Amino acid sequence: MSKTILITGATDGIGLETAKILLDKGHHVILSGRNEKKMAAVVDELSAKGSLDSVIADLSSLQAVNQLAVNVAKRYSKIDVLINNAGILESKTPLNEHGHDVRFVVNTLAPYLLTKKLMPNFESDSRIINLSSAAQASINLSALAGNNVVLESMDAYAQSKLAITMWTIFLAEKYANGPEFIAVNPGSLLGSKMVKEKFGISGNDILVGANILVEAALSEKFAHASGKYFDNDLGDFGNPHADANNPKKVSDVMAIIEDCIRDYEA
């Protein structure tokens, strides 16, 4: 049966390849991206593959994320799968006007806000697939809170990926009857634009990441995996950074995340 699947960061990289596979499988895919010109080209390329829709939003702006959720909710009463794929590593302006590191905004806060705003559109068997990473590091709470803390790019990225893993586990516990919340490391050093720009290498086959996201979205293997972390480098469920299983640290991080999105929850 065809599912309605929203993918952020869907105009290139893992997100685009995931969209292609899902369209080929007959699902309705909603593509989200920030660049209108790139989105138009992708829609033109993929429209013959199947049923798709597109929405434009810059996830470095929580106001834009809020509007993205409103726009999607107006068009669709049910979202079967949300793949929070959009991510950022390098930025020429790492701090936004509110003092937040954009890695935390795009990689952690934006997907959390989008997920919470779309909760009425999920059903018990819906799935939220969050892009984690093998790179995870203990979180600088002051940086997460937006206190004008400048972090090195890989530090910020790794911390943001631990934070999204933390809130995946937190929401899985909060919504024990569904939907499913699953964190996925799609694979290390895949050939995305992010990897090519940061490390100057072509990277590993990006389809490794796309295929595991499709599996996480659709397969029975992930049907009862809420709150788990799948490490595609191992090819199995594994353990995230130890902080993700530390109740005090999770509580501290969640309090800050909730405070950061408070103005957009109405």
Side-chain angles (χ1 to χ4, degrees):
M1 188 170 68
S2 177
K3 295 182 180 296
T4 298
I5 302 173
L6 170 60
I7 307 174
T8 65
T11 56
D12 57 36
I14 299 173
L16 176 57
E17 296 306 318
T18 301
K20 290 177 181 178
I21 297 170
L22 290 168
L23 285 168
D24 285 340
K25 289 181 176 291
H27 299 287
H28 179 74
V29 179
I30 309 165
L31 310 168
S32 171
R34 64 184 175 87
N35 186 302
E36 291 189 30
K37 186 175 180 179
K38 284 177 69 175
M39 180 63 79
V42 167
V43 169
D44 185 59
E45 175 191 354
L46 300 186
S47 57
K49 278 182 170 288
S51 176
L52 61 82
D53 193 1
S54 65
V55 282
I56 300 295
D58 182 349
L59 301 194
S60 68
S61 162
L62 293 182
Q63 183 58 53
V65 175
N66 185 64
Q67 191 59 51
L68 168 62
V70 170
N71 292 341
V72 170
K74 282 181 179 178
R75 298 184 201 177
Y76 300 95
S77 59
K78 180 186 178 184
I79 302 295
D80 295 293
V81 183
L82 166 61
I83 302 178
N84 284 311
N85 165 74
I88 185 172
L89 172 56
E90 294 287 355
S91 175
K92 293 179 181 178
T93 53
L95 296 182
N96 68 13
E97 68 272 21
H98 304 296
H100 275 107
D101 188 302
V102 293
R103 275 68 62 110
F104 278 123
V105 178
V106 175
N107 302 349
T108 304
L109 301 178
Y112 186 74
L113 177 60
L114 179 60
T115 299
K116 289 202 75 177
K117 296 290 286 189
L118 290 177
M119 282 302 295
N121 303 84
F122 299 131
E123 296 189 357
S124 61
D125 61 346
S126 295
R127 300 183 191 181
I128 294 87
I129 312 299
N130 289 332
L131 269 286
S132 183
S133 172
Q136 298 177 25
S138 293
I139 297 164
N140 182 320
L141 297 180
S142 186
L144 177 61
N147 293 329
N148 292 293
V149 177
V150 178
L151 299 173
E152 192 277 326
S153 60
M154 271 306 300
D155 286 342
Y157 180 82
Q159 291 179 38
S160 71
K161 289 302 182 179
L162 174 56
I164 194 172
T165 306
M166 281 181 163
W167 75 246
T168 302
I169 296 169
F170 176 84
L171 289 188
E173 293 175 352
K174 181 175 181 179
Y175 298 99
N177 295 320
E180 305 272 324
F181 297 88
I182 306 163
V184 176
N185 164 31
S188 295
L189 296 176
L190 300 180
S192 64
K193 181 176 68 174
M194 182 189 302
V195 165
K196 292 172 183 176
E197 290 178 349
K198 175 64 177 177
F199 302 106
I201 59 175
S202 59
N204 299 319
D205 186 359
I206 206 162
L207 287 176
V208 170
N211 285 330
I212 195 59
L213 293 186
V214 171
E215 188 176 352
L218 303 177
S219 78
E220 186 64 24
K221 178 178 180 178
F222 288 83
H224 304 288
S226 196
K228 293 185 178 181
Y229 165 72
F230 189 89
D231 186 349
N232 205 31
D233 291 333
L234 301 176
D236 203 352
F237 294 99
N239 295 314
H241 190 284
D243 287 4
N245 295 314
N246 182 313
K248 175 65 167 61
K249 291 187 176 183
V250 172
S251 177
D252 290 344
V253 166
M254 293 311 304
I256 293 172
I257 290 175
E258 286 285 357
D259 187 61
C260 288
I261 71 161
R262 198 173 309 282
D263 291 343
Y264 306 95
E265 286 201 283

